[in-house]
């Protein structure tokens, strides 16, 4: 299974193509749109989300809500293109409009300008923009439907915003409540403080990042491999999370905390009862030796603050080489809820790829039979 994405933030449309989906997977388009709308939600989002109302349009590979086994292509249209046609149209436009040369620290602007030989960072930032993640959420929702057919679920919540942290532990079932909250947080008091912080940052023209926890329930053991570095499940999942705009750190299970502890307080002891192996703790976060071990997978990712600050940072104008204040385009103060949905989505897609690589299967009946035949 493989996903390619295309599209600029203010271009005509975003496009995704998924290859390798088996036939006869029931596709719930309403569910894809639900995750797209969740990606747009959350406290701290900027003006763009008032313009967009993301909906998926499936273009190929699905007939009467079932996959055909052919590539599934789909679009998420940019409503804002109507306002940007004059400066973005592929057929011809005025590229002297909407230029950006006051390159933003932390964004792709400067390095992209040099690498691709442009003079206007618009040609770089349009693709570097996190708008691209709408396609990854749509693809992730399809991958989630594939995983759900096997009894595998993906969920998550926001653990902290700009250092305001919820240190409590939650069961997988409790996580669902997060989606009903303005910051996808589960502790009301912590969330209230985080909202106040976002309000303050907005007033100051500043931005916030945070920490997100993603969990996977129901995946049997043995997915991923210890036989080749590139097939290790932890490497694949961390790579998927790190591929999301603004993600700067990832940990699994105890993560960085494990480095501080003695081995006896890290490794999960193994027991056997009623014909089943089990562990009483899950410090490994569900992955040992590069393979799922049948426990819940626990991933955490750190998102940096968005690099477009309304108050602007010191930089240099690429055109004049003079010191200046960085461009302050309309943007979000915090996009932590969007990131939470995106991270769930890329986790689902990466896992679906790993599962389909192990199980193969041209149609969903074969996939389900092969999954059910595996030892727990
Ligand atoms: C982004 C800048 C903002 C964000 C955008 C990512 O867009 P605009 O420049 O149009 O205000 O809203 O994210 C989205 C549009 C989205 O749908 O997530 C950036 O520079 O990365």
């Amino acid at each position: 299974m493989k996903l390619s994405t295309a599209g600029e933030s203010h271009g005509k449309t975003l496009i995704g193509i998924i290859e390798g989906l088996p036939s006869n997977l029931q596709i719930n388009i309403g569910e894809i749109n639900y995750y797209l709308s969740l990606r747009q939600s959350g406290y701290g989002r900027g003006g763009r989300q008032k313009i967009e109302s993301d909906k998926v349009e499936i273009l190929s590979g699905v007939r009467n809500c079932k996959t055909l086994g052919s590539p599934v292509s789909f679009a998420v249209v940019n409503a804002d293109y109507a306002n940007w046609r004059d400066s973005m149209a592929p057929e011809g436009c005025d590229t002297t409009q909407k230029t950006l040369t006051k390159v933003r620290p932390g964004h792709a602007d400067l390095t992209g300008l040099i690498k691709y030989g442009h003079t206007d960072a618009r040609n770089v930032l349009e693709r570097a923009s996190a708008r691209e993640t709408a396609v990854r959420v749509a693809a992730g929702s399809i991958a989630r439907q594939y995983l759900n057919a096997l009894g595998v679920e993906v969920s998550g919540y926001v653990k902290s915003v700009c250092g305001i942290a919820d240190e409590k532990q939650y069961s997988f079932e409790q996580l669902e409540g997060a989606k009903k909250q303005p910051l996808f947080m589960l502790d009301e008091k912590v969330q209230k403080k985080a909202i106040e912080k976002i309000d303050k940052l907005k007033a100051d023209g500043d931005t916030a990042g945070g920490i997100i926890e993603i969990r996977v329930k129901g995946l049997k053991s043995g997915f991923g491999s210890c036989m080749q570095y590139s097939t290790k499940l932890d490497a694949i999942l961390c790579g998927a999370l790190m591929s999301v705009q603004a993600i700067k750190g990832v940990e699994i299970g105890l993560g960085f905390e494990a480095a501080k502890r003695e081995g006896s307080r890290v490794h999960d002891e193994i027991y056997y009862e009623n014909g089943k192996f089990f562990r009483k703790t899950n410090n490994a976060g569900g992955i040992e030796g590069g393979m799922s071990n049948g426990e819940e997978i626990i991933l955490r990712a750190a998102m940096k603050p968005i690099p477009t600050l309304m108050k602007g940072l010191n930089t240099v104008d690429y055109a004049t080489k003079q010191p200046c204040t960085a461009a302050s385009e309309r943007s979000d103060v915090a996009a932590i809820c969007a990131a939470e949905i995106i991270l769930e989505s890329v986790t689902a897609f990466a896992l679906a790829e790993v599962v389909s690589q192990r199980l193969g299967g041209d149609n969903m009946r074969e996939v389900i039979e092969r999954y059910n035949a595996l030892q727990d």
Side-chain angles (χ1 to χ4, degrees):
M1 206 179 292
K2 182 172 164 258
L3 168 69
S4 292
T5 75
E8 280 76 41
S9 179
H10 305 96
K12 281 186 187 180
T13 189
L14 303 163
I15 294 281
I17 302 179
I18 306 174
E19 288 170 56
L21 272 172
S23 67
N24 288 328
L25 172 65
Q26 187 76 36
I27 298 293
N28 181 338
I29 294 174
E31 195 175 304
I32 303 173
N33 288 332
Y34 165 71
Y35 284 107
L36 285 174
S37 73
L38 278 182
R39 193 198 71 93
Q40 290 197 273
S41 71
Y43 202 77
R45 292 289 256 161
R48 178 73 185 272
Q49 302 314 316
K50 295 188 181 82
I51 299 170
E52 304 296 342
S53 173
D54 293 340
K55 298 267 181 312
V56 72
E57 188 187 351
I58 298 194
L59 304 170
S60 72
V62 177
R63 186 172 185 219
N64 195 27
C65 296
K66 278 192 176 175
T67 55
L68 297 170
S70 54
V72 172
S73 62
F74 57 91
V76 179
V77 167
N78 291 320
D80 208 13
Y81 178 67
N83 307 314
W84 286 71
R85 194 184 302 269
D86 292 349
S87 52
M88 287 298 292
E91 307 80 18
C93 63
D94 180 0
T95 55
T96 64
Q97 290 182 37
K98 309 273 193 193
T99 58
L100 191 149
T101 56
K102 292 174 177 162
V103 291
R104 293 162 294 174
H107 214 289
D109 301 348
L110 177 59
T111 308
L113 269 177
I114 296 166
K115 176 177 165 69
Y116 294 102
H118 296 302
T119 51
D120 176 6
R122 173 72 45 207
N123 290 337
V124 176
L125 71 92
E126 282 290 333
R127 181 65 185 152
S129 165
R131 176 80 188 139
E132 180 258 355
T133 59
V135 174
R136 288 203 270 169
V137 168
S141 171
I142 291 172
R144 202 190 282 260
Q145 294 180 30
Y146 169 91
L147 293 172
N148 286 170
L150 308 176
V152 180
E153 291 172 73
V154 182
S155 193
Y157 71 107
V158 172
K159 266 193 97 59
S160 82
V161 175
C162 208
I164 299 166
D166 174 5
E167 305 292 358
K168 287 205 279 307
Q169 308 286 324
Y170 297 98
S171 71
F172 188 89
E173 287 64 35
Q174 284 174 299
L175 304 185
E176 198 46 41
K179 305 287 190 301
K180 299 182 188 86
Q181 296 300 321
L183 270 177
F184 292 5
M185 293 185 102
L186 288 162
D187 182 302
E188 253 180 70
K189 280 190 190 145
V190 177
Q191 180 169 257
K192 190 166 173 283
K193 277 193 202 152
I195 287 174
E196 284 162 12
K197 179 75 182 175
I198 290 174
D199 290 343
K200 168 90 174 57
L201 292 169
K202 186 173 183 184
D204 294 346
D206 218 327
T207 57
I211 295 178
I212 293 150
E213 183 167 297
I214 301 296
R215 303 249 290 270
V216 179
K217 193 182 169 189
L219 184 68
K220 291 188 178 189
S221 71
F223 286 92
S225 165
C226 58
M227 297 300 173
Q228 188 62 272
Y229 65 90
S230 56
T231 57
K232 287 173 188 273
L233 184 60
D234 33 11
I236 291 167
L237 291 179
C238 288
L241 299 189
M242 286 297 290
S243 77
V244 174
Q245 289 84 340
I247 298 303
K248 290 290 128 190
V250 179
E251 60 178 17
I252 299 181
L254 264 191
F256 278 69
E257 171 66 24
K260 295 185 208 156
R261 296 194 188 181
E262 311 79 13
S264 56
R265 292 202 305 126
V266 170
H267 301 295
D268 307 303
E269 293 181 312
I270 300 169
Y271 302 87
Y272 186 80
E273 242 173 51
N274 302 326
K276 279 196 171 183
F277 292 102
F278 67 98
R279 297 151 179 90
K280 292 180 185 171
T281 52
N282 186 14
N283 292 336
I287 303 178
E288 288 172 301
M291 298 169 287
S292 61
N293 66 6
E295 304 292 330
E296 250 181 48
I297 294 179
I298 305 172
L299 308 162
R300 274 179 298 279
M303 180 192 200
K304 73 178 180 182
I306 286 164
T308 309
L309 274 65
M310 294 316 283
K311 71 173 175 189
L313 294 172
N314 290 336
T315 189
V316 174
D317 190 316
Y318 191 76
T320 64
K321 311 293 181 286
Q322 293 303 307
C324 65
T325 302
S328 50
E329 294 204 324
R330 167 192 71 189
S331 194
D332 309 304
V333 179
I336 191 84
C337 294
E340 196 281 323
I341 296 298
I342 298 158
L343 293 177
E344 281 189 25
S345 305
V346 299
T347 300
F349 199 87
L351 269 185
E353 279 182 294
V354 169
V355 169
S356 84
Q357 196 166 24
R358 183 178 186 197
L359 300 182
D362 293 316
N363 60 67
M364 274 314 278
R365 186 181 48 75
E366 282 176 1
V367 175
I368 293 168
E369 277 174 10
R370 290 173 191 183
Y371 189 75
N372 289 343
L374 296 173
Q375 190 184 325
D376 274 351

